[in-house]
Amino acid sequence: MQTRDISSWPKNVALARSTGRGWRNIHAQHVAVEPWTGTLDPVGNPCLGYCVNRPAQIRRRIGRCGPTETSTLRPRQFHLIPAHDESEWQRRGRSEMLAMHLHQGLIDDTARQMWSSAARRVELDVPLGTSDPLLEQLALAILDILRESPDPASALYVDELVHAMVVRLVRTYTADGRSSRVGPDAQLPDRADLGRVRDLVEARLAEDLSLASIAGEIGVSPRSLSRAFHQHWGTTVHQYVLSRRLERAKTMLGSTDLTITSIALDTGFSSQSHLATAFRKLTGLTPKEFRQSGK
């Protein structure tokens, strides 16, 4: 099984690893992880990470057109390095992580058995900073065995733990799993869903229009929405929201006597300076200069 040797990254230290233990379908490492910035190429098998202790600031982007996520990964929380997408990472802070590479073939086979679906590649979507008590108990059981002296008899037990973990992941963190639990609205977004996104943006420009909040409104994962939006409209959700806010601001600057601060807040910018920075990048003018030019 192709994996990454996370313990070999600069200054990282392997505290325990599964190499040579005869484990199937998983390669696990307990690693003391140092601050790190870089890009990871896909290896064909996902890596589920569990924070054992001490928080770390994580910034990541999955895929070249994916959104940038920033979060504090705290103890007892999970994240995922995807199997098939390039990903960019910036980590600040030292922590101990349990890194578990899971065999993609087992994930695909499990999905076929659960959903009777045609043979295809299954993609896991575990949000950054996920808390999952069941997944955590399985991870801790694997960590406990990893800390023990190698024992050939433990391989069967680990195999059962891994199967249970994969069932949980497929059921909870895949598109098919979500749709089976909450109905057809949780499937991957189609053109009608994306039309709803555009209507939502127009109606709520002054409100929170983060990728996560919009995805929650239409019942899909942020990653699924990001991919579908870029595929259909050729831009990211963030870029689209920003462009609509700026167009609305231009209209208000030319057709109203509202202060620039009021216009900024009415179009979803946090302040006049926030609007001015974005406006200058788009037009080369400040909002005041744009209003005075009569454009």
Side-chain angles (χ1 to χ4, degrees):
M1 180 170 64
Q2 190 171 3
T3 66
R4 301 175 187 84
D5 183 5
I6 294 175
S7 65
S8 69
W9 296 358
K11 299 183 180 180
N12 286 0
V13 177
L15 304 175
R17 64 180 75 201
S18 63
T19 305
R21 293 175 180 253
W23 294 6
R24 300 189 308 162
N25 297 313
I26 184 173
H27 179 270
Q29 291 182 319
H30 179 200
V31 185
V33 183
E34 295 289 318
W36 182 82
T37 299
T39 300
L40 299 177
D41 293 326
V43 297
N45 298 296
C47 180
L48 182 66
Y50 172 76
C51 185
V52 178
N53 63 35
R54 294 193 298 273
Q57 283 290 126
I58 304 292
R59 182 174 183 175
R60 75 171 185 181
R61 184 174 70 177
I62 297 176
R64 295 185 178 181
C65 299
T68 298
E69 306 168 80
T70 302
S71 180
T72 299
L73 185 66
R74 304 183 187 281
R76 305 183 62 188
Q77 292 182 338
F78 290 89
H79 76 287
L80 185 81
I81 302 175
H84 308 291
D85 291 305
E86 175 186 281
S87 54
E88 299 176 9
W89 297 80
Q90 182 182 76
R91 161 185 279 270
R92 295 179 180 176
R94 298 172 174 84
S95 62
E96 290 183 17
M97 298 293 300
L98 174 63
M100 298 168 285
H101 282 86
L102 302 170
H103 199 290
Q104 182 68 41
L106 175 62
I107 295 170
D108 294 341
D109 288 345
T110 300
R112 283 192 289 270
Q113 293 175 38
M114 292 177 68
W115 316 126
S116 300
S117 56
R120 61 184 178 86
R121 190 176 69 190
V122 176
E123 293 190 38
L124 302 179
D125 185 6
V126 180
L128 184 63
T130 290
S131 296
D132 185 319
L134 176 56
L135 207 57
E136 180 181 23
Q137 291 306 309
L138 296 168
L140 289 174
I142 290 172
L143 179 60
D144 283 343
I145 300 172
L146 200 62
R147 287 168 167 168
E148 298 173 355
S149 299
D151 177 8
S154 68
L156 179 60
Y157 178 43
V158 170
D159 200 40
E160 294 298 324
L161 291 173
V162 172
H163 275 78
M165 178 175 285
V166 168
V167 168
R168 175 66 172 179
L169 289 166
V170 169
R171 186 175 185 276
T172 309
Y173 302 103
T174 65
D176 283 342
R178 284 188 294 270
S179 65
S180 73
R181 295 194 313 281
V182 297
D185 287 344
Q187 296 174 2
L188 293 175
D190 56 19
R191 188 173 290 273
D193 290 324
L194 298 179
R196 289 171 57 202
V197 171
R198 298 176 79 171
D199 292 341
L200 183 103
V201 169
E202 293 302 316
R204 304 186 187 177
L205 273 180
E207 301 177 19
D208 174 24
L209 289 175
S210 65
L211 178 63
S213 68
I214 295 173
E217 286 280 346
I218 64 172
V220 299
S221 73
R223 187 178 175 198
S224 297
L225 175 60
S226 178
R227 287 185 170 185
F229 202 91
H230 192 273
Q231 179 180 351
H232 283 283
W233 306 118
T235 188
T236 67
V237 174
H238 172 73
Q239 289 168 338
Y240 177 75
V241 169
L242 179 60
S243 70
R244 296 310 305 151
R245 283 174 165 161
L246 289 170
E247 286 302 315
R248 180 76 61 85
K250 287 169 66 175
T251 298
M252 294 178 72
L253 285 166
S255 62
T256 75
D257 294 326
L258 292 171
T259 66
I260 295 175
T261 297
S262 294
I263 292 174
L265 298 178
D266 287 346
T267 52
F269 292 93
S270 60
S271 64
Q272 178 177 336
S273 62
H274 185 197
L275 169 61
T277 298
F279 204 91
R280 189 182 295 110
K281 287 182 180 179
L282 175 70
T283 67
L285 302 171
T286 66
K288 181 178 180 180
E289 290 169 343
F290 180 86
R291 173 174 269 175
Q292 290 174 342
S293 71
K295 291 186 178 181

mmCIF file of all heavy atoms in Angstrom, residues 247-258 262-263 266-267 291:
data_model
loop_
_atom_site.group_PDB
_atom_site.id
_atom_site.type_symbol
_atom_site.label_atom_id
_atom_site.label_comp_id
_atom_site.label_asym_id
_atom_site.label_seq_id
_atom_site.Cartn_x
_atom_site.Cartn_y
_atom_site.Cartn_z
ATOM 1 N N GLU A 247 -20.130 44.307 -7.436
ATOM 2 C CA GLU A 247 -21.071 44.849 -8.422
ATOM 3 C C GLU A 247 -22.215 45.582 -7.727
ATOM 4 O O GLU A 247 -22.654 46.634 -8.190
ATOM 5 C CB GLU A 247 -21.615 43.717 -9.300
ATOM 6 C CG GLU A 247 -20.622 43.200 -10.321
ATOM 7 C CD GLU A 247 -20.124 44.285 -11.263
ATOM 8 O OE1 GLU A 247 -20.956 45.081 -11.758
ATOM 9 O OE2 GLU A 247 -18.902 44.362 -11.485
ATOM 10 N N ARG A 248 -22.705 45.011 -6.610
ATOM 11 C CA ARG A 248 -23.763 45.688 -5.861
ATOM 12 C C ARG A 248 -23.240 47.014 -5.292
ATOM 13 O O ARG A 248 -23.953 48.029 -5.300
ATOM 14 C CB ARG A 248 -24.248 44.775 -4.736
ATOM 15 C CG ARG A 248 -25.363 45.359 -3.860
ATOM 16 C CD ARG A 248 -26.734 45.345 -4.545
ATOM 17 N NE ARG A 248 -27.138 43.993 -4.847
ATOM 18 C CZ ARG A 248 -27.761 43.162 -3.994
ATOM 19 N NH1 ARG A 248 -28.025 43.578 -2.767
ATOM 20 N NH2 ARG A 248 -28.118 41.953 -4.374
ATOM 21 N N ALA A 249 -22.009 47.021 -4.812
ATOM 22 C CA ALA A 249 -21.422 48.252 -4.274
ATOM 23 C C ALA A 249 -21.295 49.312 -5.361
ATOM 24 O O ALA A 249 -21.576 50.504 -5.110
ATOM 25 C CB ALA A 249 -20.061 47.951 -3.655
ATOM 26 N N LYS A 250 -20.879 48.911 -6.552
ATOM 27 C CA LYS A 250 -20.768 49.864 -7.664
ATOM 28 C C LYS A 250 -22.127 50.494 -7.971
ATOM 29 O O LYS A 250 -22.231 51.707 -8.183
ATOM 30 C CB LYS A 250 -20.211 49.155 -8.898
ATOM 31 C CG LYS A 250 -18.735 48.821 -8.800
ATOM 32 C CD LYS A 250 -18.292 47.889 -9.902
ATOM 33 C CE LYS A 250 -18.377 48.508 -11.262
ATOM 34 N NZ LYS A 250 -17.828 47.592 -12.307
ATOM 35 N N THR A 251 -23.169 49.655 -7.989
ATOM 36 C CA THR A 251 -24.511 50.164 -8.271
ATOM 37 C C THR A 251 -24.949 51.154 -7.195
ATOM 38 O O THR A 251 -25.494 52.230 -7.507
ATOM 39 C CB THR A 251 -25.514 48.998 -8.344
ATOM 40 O OG1 THR A 251 -25.138 48.125 -9.412
ATOM 41 C CG2 THR A 251 -26.925 49.506 -8.576
ATOM 42 N N MET A 252 -24.710 50.820 -5.944
ATOM 43 C CA MET A 252 -25.124 51.692 -4.844
ATOM 44 C C MET A 252 -24.324 52.988 -4.816
ATOM 45 O O MET A 252 -24.849 54.056 -4.482
ATOM 46 C CB MET A 252 -24.991 50.945 -3.520
ATOM 47 C CG MET A 252 -25.945 49.759 -3.398
ATOM 48 S SD MET A 252 -25.740 48.830 -1.849
ATOM 49 C CE MET A 252 -26.457 49.995 -0.676
ATOM 50 N N LEU A 253 -23.058 52.924 -5.169
ATOM 51 C CA LEU A 253 -22.233 54.142 -5.211
ATOM 52 C C LEU A 253 -22.755 55.113 -6.267
ATOM 53 O O LEU A 253 -22.706 56.339 -6.083
ATOM 54 C CB LEU A 253 -20.780 53.779 -5.517
ATOM 55 C CG LEU A 253 -19.987 53.158 -4.372
ATOM 56 C CD1 LEU A 253 -18.692 52.540 -4.896
ATOM 57 C CD2 LEU A 253 -19.680 54.201 -3.287
ATOM 58 N N GLY A 254 -23.264 54.573 -7.367
ATOM 59 C CA GLY A 254 -23.729 55.433 -8.446
ATOM 60 C C GLY A 254 -25.167 55.867 -8.328
ATOM 61 O O GLY A 254 -25.562 56.857 -8.949
ATOM 62 N N SER A 255 -25.960 55.166 -7.543
ATOM 63 C CA SER A 255 -27.400 55.448 -7.536
ATOM 64 C C SER A 255 -27.948 55.887 -6.189
ATOM 65 O O SER A 255 -29.140 56.177 -6.082
ATOM 66 C CB SER A 255 -28.170 54.200 -7.994
ATOM 67 O OG SER A 255 -27.951 53.104 -7.107
ATOM 68 N N THR A 256 -27.106 55.935 -5.160
ATOM 69 C CA THR A 256 -27.571 56.365 -3.832
ATOM 70 C C THR A 256 -26.602 57.373 -3.239
ATOM 71 O O THR A 256 -25.482 57.551 -3.720
ATOM 72 C CB THR A 256 -27.686 55.170 -2.859
ATOM 73 O OG1 THR A 256 -26.373 54.775 -2.433
ATOM 74 C CG2 THR A 256 -28.404 53.990 -3.505
ATOM 75 N N ASP A 257 -27.070 58.029 -2.160
ATOM 76 C CA ASP A 257 -26.219 58.958 -1.421
ATOM 77 C C ASP A 257 -25.746 58.361 -0.106
ATOM 78 O O ASP A 257 -25.257 59.087 0.776
ATOM 79 C CB ASP A 257 -26.999 60.261 -1.132
ATOM 80 C CG ASP A 257 -27.315 61.025 -2.402
ATOM 81 O OD1 ASP A 257 -26.478 60.988 -3.330
ATOM 82 O OD2 ASP A 257 -28.394 61.637 -2.470
ATOM 83 N N LEU A 258 -25.870 57.054 0.047
ATOM 84 C CA LEU A 258 -25.429 56.388 1.263
ATOM 85 C C LEU A 258 -23.929 56.571 1.456
ATOM 86 O O LEU A 258 -23.174 56.669 0.485
ATOM 87 C CB LEU A 258 -25.762 54.895 1.203
ATOM 88 C CG LEU A 258 -27.241 54.508 1.256
ATOM 89 C CD1 LEU A 258 -27.405 53.022 0.964
ATOM 90 C CD2 LEU A 258 -27.817 54.859 2.635
ATOM 91 N N SER A 262 -21.741 52.658 5.018
ATOM 92 C CA SER A 262 -23.038 51.985 4.956
ATOM 93 C C SER A 262 -23.089 51.012 3.781
ATOM 94 O O SER A 262 -23.599 49.892 3.903
ATOM 95 C CB SER A 262 -24.170 53.010 4.834
ATOM 96 O OG SER A 262 -24.271 53.804 5.996
ATOM 97 N N ILE A 263 -22.581 51.447 2.646
ATOM 98 C CA ILE A 263 -22.567 50.578 1.475
ATOM 99 C C ILE A 263 -21.709 49.345 1.732
ATOM 100 O O ILE A 263 -22.069 48.219 1.354
ATOM 101 C CB ILE A 263 -22.072 51.357 0.244
ATOM 102 C CG1 ILE A 263 -23.109 52.417 -0.154
ATOM 103 C CG2 ILE A 263 -21.787 50.409 -0.924
ATOM 104 C CD1 ILE A 263 -22.646 53.338 -1.259
ATOM 105 N N ASP A 266 -23.708 47.024 3.925
ATOM 106 C CA ASP A 266 -24.878 46.511 3.220
ATOM 107 C C ASP A 266 -24.517 45.486 2.157
ATOM 108 O O ASP A 266 -25.380 44.732 1.697
ATOM 109 C CB ASP A 266 -25.649 47.653 2.556
ATOM 110 C CG ASP A 266 -26.412 48.507 3.569
ATOM 111 O OD1 ASP A 266 -26.552 48.046 4.724
ATOM 112 O OD2 ASP A 266 -26.842 49.611 3.206
ATOM 113 N N THR A 267 -23.266 45.467 1.748
ATOM 114 C CA THR A 267 -22.841 44.509 0.720
ATOM 115 C C THR A 267 -21.935 43.416 1.277
ATOM 116 O O THR A 267 -21.304 42.675 0.519
ATOM 117 C CB THR A 267 -22.124 45.234 -0.436
ATOM 118 O OG1 THR A 267 -21.082 46.059 0.078
ATOM 119 C CG2 THR A 267 -23.104 46.085 -1.227
ATOM 120 N N ARG A 291 -17.134 56.917 -7.260
ATOM 121 C CA ARG A 291 -18.367 57.736 -7.177
ATOM 122 C C ARG A 291 -18.167 59.099 -7.817
ATOM 123 O O ARG A 291 -19.030 59.581 -8.561
ATOM 124 C CB ARG A 291 -18.753 57.877 -5.704
ATOM 125 C CG ARG A 291 -19.908 58.832 -5.466
ATOM 126 C CD ARG A 291 -20.340 58.810 -3.998
ATOM 127 N NE ARG A 291 -21.394 57.829 -3.777
ATOM 128 C CZ ARG A 291 -21.892 57.527 -2.574
ATOM 129 N NH1 ARG A 291 -21.393 58.103 -1.487
ATOM 130 N NH2 ARG A 291 -22.892 56.661 -2.458
#
